[in-house]
Amino acid sequence: MLVYWIRLLSSLVLFISTTPVEASEAYSIRRTTAQDNYDLTSPLHKSMLVAVGCFWCGEQAFEQYAPGIIEAVSGYAGADGIDNPTYQNHKGHYEVVLVEYDPSKSSYEVLLDYAWRNMDPFDGNGQFCDKGFAYEPAIFYGDDQERDIAERVKQNILQEYPSWLEADLKIRILERPRFWIAEEYHQDYYIKNPGSYGYYKNACGRSKRLKDVWGESVYQCYHDIDVGCESLENVTNADGTLVEAEVNRKGADEPEASLLPQKYWIFIGASVGGVCLVFIGIYILRKKNGNYEK
């Protein structure tokens, strides 16, 4: 609950301190589907939709570590969700990430491997410290081919981890619903507020749980800007061609956790400033009344 309020208040501080940007100003005009209100940056690109818990973390995981990513966009999606959802009111929606990718440099199947390894597949009530429907894990397919791929990736993982039981895996594979872009202050949060983001991610226990579930070496392979694992240096693109993995297109540094979230530093600064003003006021009054000598 504490981490939830930290995250909520951090969002409000950022919202207050930034100028809102309309979706039409932030993205060019090319639809991913007839319904989504995000526009791909090129007609040659494709997109996928996943719910991996906190969308801030989903953005970072795909943009920094997954191959062929053009943009990862925070938003909301749910078959029974309300229209025009907001962070304060997104009933019936998952927090999701729409991942725009270059199919010549990656594929839906490759990116599903990354999606799985950024989720706790045994927690169907949320992800890590975030609980509730909005944070439940899900993979979305846009057509029958993607559904078959999603099921195949799941079976591959069960073969890779033979001690796991299919009945224990809680990640839903669902038909892709409409995607709604989240507020601008949520986009690229890990870049705009690396200290606060790093604090939240650590406090939420995300990295630790992923290491416990998938293993330390697997975690490091799937969270490496330098693509140090030989098995991931090359990936199969959508045409079935083996290509060199290209990651971290935005060139962002990996965020390091700050000692405290941004809102606490604002509060501390305001408190210290207030105390100083009080003492200065007392000093001036006492001096004016002759209680202090030169």
Side-chain angles (χ1 to χ4, degrees):
M1 183 60 71
L2 175 60
V3 175
Y4 167 78
W5 285 110
I6 288 173
R7 188 175 175 217
L8 178 60
L9 291 173
S10 296
S11 300
L12 293 174
V13 167
L14 182 59
F15 175 74
I16 293 170
S17 62
T18 57
T19 302
V21 177
E22 296 296 329
S24 59
E25 297 174 353
Y27 307 107
S28 61
I29 309 299
R30 292 189 184 91
R31 297 295 181 190
T32 57
T33 71
Q35 294 181 322
D36 291 342
N37 69 344
Y38 169 76
D39 307 317
L40 293 182
T41 59
S42 167
L44 301 178
H45 296 163
K46 293 185 177 182
S47 69
M48 67 176 288
L49 198 65
V50 290
V52 296
C54 163
F55 48 30
W56 296 346
C57 298
E59 274 199 46
Q60 188 218 353
F62 281 101
E63 288 191 347
Q64 290 207 297
Y65 308 124
I69 303 304
I70 304 300
E71 190 78 42
V73 187
S74 291
Y76 314 101
D80 301 316
I82 63 173
D83 287 345
N84 301 306
T86 65
Y87 189 64
Q88 286 71 35
N89 182 21
H90 49 273
K91 184 179 180 180
H93 287 276
Y94 295 89
E95 277 199 14
V96 297
V97 177
L98 185 148
V99 182
E100 180 182 353
Y101 65 96
D102 184 342
S104 70
K105 299 179 179 180
S106 194
S107 69
Y108 180 72
E109 183 165 355
V110 166
L111 297 179
L112 285 186
D113 283 333
Y114 279 82
W116 273 87
R117 287 160 182 82
N118 276 283
M119 292 186 275
D120 177 356
F122 304 110
D123 188 354
N125 297 317
Q127 287 289 283
F128 315 103
C129 67
D130 295 313
K131 303 301 179 184
F133 177 80
Y135 300 106
E136 292 178 8
I139 289 168
F140 301 98
Y141 59 86
D143 53 32
D144 290 342
Q145 182 182 21
E146 287 190 348
R147 180 179 60 190
D148 292 343
I149 292 172
E151 292 290 353
R152 182 168 69 245
V153 169
K154 179 180 178 180
Q155 293 305 314
N156 290 343
I157 287 172
L158 286 168
Q159 292 179 15
E160 186 177 345
Y161 293 84
S163 64
W164 292 6
L165 300 177
E166 185 170 1
D168 293 333
L169 301 183
K170 306 303 182 183
I171 298 174
R172 297 185 181 94
I173 298 176
L174 303 171
E175 185 175 0
R176 179 170 170 167
R178 179 178 185 175
F179 171 79
W180 300 82
I181 299 173
E183 296 84 344
E184 178 63 20
Y185 61 89
H186 285 301
Q187 310 302 332
D188 289 329
Y189 190 85
Y190 75 98
I191 296 175
K192 297 173 181 174
N193 301 273
S196 294
Y197 168 77
Y199 179 92
Y200 158 75
K201 184 178 177 181
N202 285 348
C204 201
R206 190 180 188 95
S207 297
K208 181 181 184 304
R209 178 57 181 164
L210 289 175
K211 292 175 183 178
D212 290 343
V213 170
W214 297 97
E216 177 79 29
S217 61
V218 171
Y219 176 86
Q220 296 301 336
C221 282
Y222 282 85
H223 296 82
D224 185 2
I225 286 180
D226 298 320
V227 195
C229 290
E230 184 177 352
S231 61
L232 298 179
E233 289 179 352
N234 297 288
V235 297
T236 302
N237 70 12
D239 293 329
T241 304
L242 198 64
V243 296
E244 183 179 354
E246 297 179 17
V247 303
N248 198 27
R249 180 172 178 267
K250 293 183 177 179
D253 294 330
E254 292 186 276
E256 296 184 4
S258 61
L259 183 62
L260 289 171
Q262 180 186 30
K263 68 177 187 301
Y264 287 139
W265 291 118
I266 293 174
F267 174 77
I268 291 171
S271 299
V272 171
V275 170
C276 290
L277 288 174
V278 170
F279 277 104
I280 291 172
I282 292 173
Y283 172 80
I284 292 173
L285 287 173
R286 297 191 67 177
K287 186 174 182 180
K288 185 176 180 181
N289 293 331
N291 293 329
Y292 287 113
E293 295 181 358
K294 293 183 180 180

